[in-house]
């Protein structure tokens, strides 16, 4: 659903054979039906927190298509809570999916790509991996980690013929926020006037970045100056974030 389905659809539309993964096999199959190209698509269940399941889908992919040219890490979920109150178990669960799941999938895919002598890893991160968001600290931390890991891997793998692309979308119109885990002190710094971009726009940016062997893609482009502003004048951006936070009566939770 959302970004994952849009990316699968645009790659399938370009003639690629696509394997769609989800913890829920029925949801993956429903997306496959919506995408079409039944002769070139496959839907499988996979929980990226389980290395055995990852290895299983890699084996099935090679059985059906004999090679694996692109692996896209898009699995992830949000966690909204304050640093003071966030549940440690929920924190670990978010890292297990967003970051450690990415690491495990990269290692499984790279074992194949190194033998092939070519391949591309695409990590769907977030602008939150450049701008630490209040009340989304855990989610931002997973994306900062994903950005660092992917960019370091890119340098390591250059001479192996493998590219690692990091994609950082800003606000996207999906059910991501609605499905995020919410703690006792969940707030958002999203400006009310920002509607967000479509999943299709993110997918087009991913495809362009892949074809051009990019290091990183930030979408929409208007987030570039915001990221640069935070790097140069963090206090100014933090002031703006404080202005966007909902006010709370003194003594309330």
């Amino acid at each position: 659903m959302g970004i994952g389905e849009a990316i699968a659809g645009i790659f399938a539309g370009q003639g690629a054979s696509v394997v769609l993964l989800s913890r829920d096999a029925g949801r993956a199959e429903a997306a496959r039906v919506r995408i079409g190209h039944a002769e070139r698509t496959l839907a499988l269940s996979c929980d990226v927190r389980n290395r055995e399941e990852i290895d299983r889908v890699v084996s099935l992919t090679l059985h059906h298509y004999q090679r694996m040219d692109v692996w896209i890490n898009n699995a992830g979920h949000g966690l909204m809570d304050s640093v003071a109150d966030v549940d440690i178990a929920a924190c670990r669960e978010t890292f297990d999916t967003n970051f450690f799941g990415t690491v495990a999938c990269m290692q499984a895919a790279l074992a194949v790509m190194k033998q092939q002598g070519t391949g591309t890893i695409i990590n769907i991160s977030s602008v939150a991996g450049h701008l630490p968001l209040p009340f989304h600290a855990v989610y931002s931390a997973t994306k900062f980690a994903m950005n660092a890991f992917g960019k370091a891997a890119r340098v390591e793998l250059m001479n192996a013929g493998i590219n690692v692309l990091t994609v950082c979308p800003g606000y996207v119109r999906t059910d991501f926020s609605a499905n995020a885990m919410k703690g006792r002190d969940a707030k958002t710094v999203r400006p009310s006037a920002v509607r967000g971009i479509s999943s299709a726009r993110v997918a087009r940016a991913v495809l362009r970045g892949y074809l051009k062997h990019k290091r990183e893609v930030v979408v929409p482009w208007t987030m570039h100056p915001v990221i640069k502003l935070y790097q140069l004048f963090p206090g100014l951006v933090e002031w703006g974030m404080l202005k966007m936070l909902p006010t709370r009566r003194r003594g309330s939770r």
Side-chain angles (χ1 to χ4, degrees), residues 156-203:
E156 293 181 16
L157 297 164
M158 279 182 178
N159 293 332
I162 299 169
N163 186 44
V164 180
L165 165 63
T166 299
V167 180
C168 295
Y171 298 117
V172 184
R173 295 193 300 272
T174 68
D175 292 332
F176 181 83
S177 294
N179 294 328
M181 294 188 292
K182 297 177 177 65
R184 292 188 303 171
D185 206 2
K187 295 184 178 68
T188 179
V189 293
R190 176 176 178 172
S192 58
V194 174
R195 293 182 59 247
I197 60 175
S198 67
S199 296
R201 183 171 177 183
V202 177

Side-chain angles (χ1 to χ4, degrees), residues 101-169:
T102 293
V103 173
C105 287
M106 286 180 67
Q107 290 182 335
L110 288 172
V112 176
M113 292 177 180
K114 284 185 173 182
Q115 289 184 337
Q116 294 174 169
T118 184
T120 300
I121 302 286
I122 302 176
N123 291 332
I124 308 302
S125 181
S126 171
V127 168
H130 289 282
L131 301 172
L133 299 177
F135 300 97
H136 295 70
V138 173
Y139 176 75
S140 283
T142 65
K143 296 303 182 178
F144 267 82
M146 182 187 285
N147 288 0
F149 196 86
K151 290 174 183 178
R154 185 176 189 271
V155 178
E156 293 181 16
L157 297 164
M158 279 182 178
N159 293 332
I162 299 169
N163 186 44
V164 180
L165 165 63
T166 299
V167 180
C168 295

Side-chain angles (χ1 to χ4, degrees), residues 204-242:
R204 291 193 297 270
V206 170
L207 180 62
R208 286 194 301 270
Y210 164 68
L211 294 174
K212 294 181 179 180
H213 304 284
K214 291 279 191 177
R215 171 188 300 105
E216 182 177 44
V217 170
V218 175
V219 57
W221 67 268
T222 51
M223 296 308 300
H224 277 286
V226 179
I227 292 170
K228 183 57 66 175
L229 185 65
Y230 179 75
Q231 292 170 344
L232 297 174
F233 306 103
L236 181 62
V237 176
E238 290 168 355
W239 175 82
M241 288 179 178
L242 283 172

Side-chain angles (χ1 to χ4, degrees), residues 5-17:
E5 182 176 332
I7 294 173
I10 200 169
F11 272 81
Q14 293 292 312
S17 297

